[in-house]
Amino acid sequence: SAGLSGTSTGGEKGGYGGALSILTVNSTARTEIDSDATITLENLEQRTEQDLLIVNTARAHVQNDDGGSGLNIAVAITDYTAVTESINAGDNEGRGTEGIAIRADDKTSVVTLAGSGSLDADKGFAIGVAVNLTDRQTTTTFTGDINVDAEIDIGASTTG
């Protein structure tokens, strides 16, 4: 988050302000069951999940007590890269009827805000720019064997 309000000492004919906030987030979540693994359970839930709240803000403010002019720009840029993987290459043998679930879910929310404004200026020009750059890869890979007399849930989802 970036931003600071300006102050007026009197007699100014114009004022300017600016704020730049750049946030970079790289996040990886991964679960993996190796091909040499043998799993014998009543049920199996292999879940990889990301559930982040990412907030980035920028605020620019100009104050001109003498009614002059104001110019300000606020820019907030969020660059979010996420990899969420659930990989199962093992020999999965279930007993009973509970089932097997292998999932990868990315529920992350990204909020980017930018604002600017002028106080007491006769003429003002204010710009707020918010940019989200998002690259999300959410995958579930299953290459093993399953021997179970129950429901099987294999999936991947990206929400938020």
Side-chain angles (χ1 to χ4, degrees), residues 25-32 47-52 54 79-87 103-108 134-141 156-158:
V25 178
N26 293 309
S27 179
T28 300
R30 178 181 181 153
T31 61
E32 183 171 358
R47 181 179 301 271
T48 308
E49 185 172 286
Q50 296 200 63
D51 192 2
L52 305 173
I54 299 169
D79 183 1
Y80 172 56
T81 301
V83 176
T84 310
E85 297 177 309
S86 188
I87 301 168
R103 297 204 48 85
D105 299 302
D106 184 353
K107 302 175 181 179
T108 298
T134 304
D135 180 10
R136 296 163 75 170
Q137 299 174 20
T138 306
T139 59
T140 296
T141 305
S157 68
T158 301

Side-chain angles (χ1 to χ4, degrees), residues 111-146:
V111 179
T112 304
L113 304 170
S116 59
S118 299
L119 180 63
D120 294 331
D122 284 340
K123 299 176 211 113
F125 185 72
I127 297 174
V129 178
V131 178
N132 278 338
L133 305 171
T134 304
D135 180 10
R136 296 163 75 170
Q137 299 174 20
T138 306
T139 59
T140 296
T141 305
F142 178 76
T143 57
D145 294 323
I146 291 182

Side-chain angles (χ1 to χ4, degrees), residues 55-117:
V55 179
N56 184 16
T57 63
R59 178 183 68 97
H61 176 80
V62 173
Q63 179 176 344
N64 191 321
D65 292 338
D66 296 323
S69 59
L71 166 68
N72 53 67
I73 300 171
V75 178
I77 301 171
T78 304
D79 183 1
Y80 172 56
T81 301
V83 176
T84 310
E85 297 177 309
S86 188
I87 301 168
N88 188 319
D91 183 7
N92 300 276
E93 188 170 326
R95 298 177 183 160
T97 58
E98 294 297 318
I100 291 179
I102 304 168
R103 297 204 48 85
D105 299 302
D106 184 353
K107 302 175 181 179
T108 298
S109 296
V110 179
V111 179
T112 304
L113 304 170
S116 59

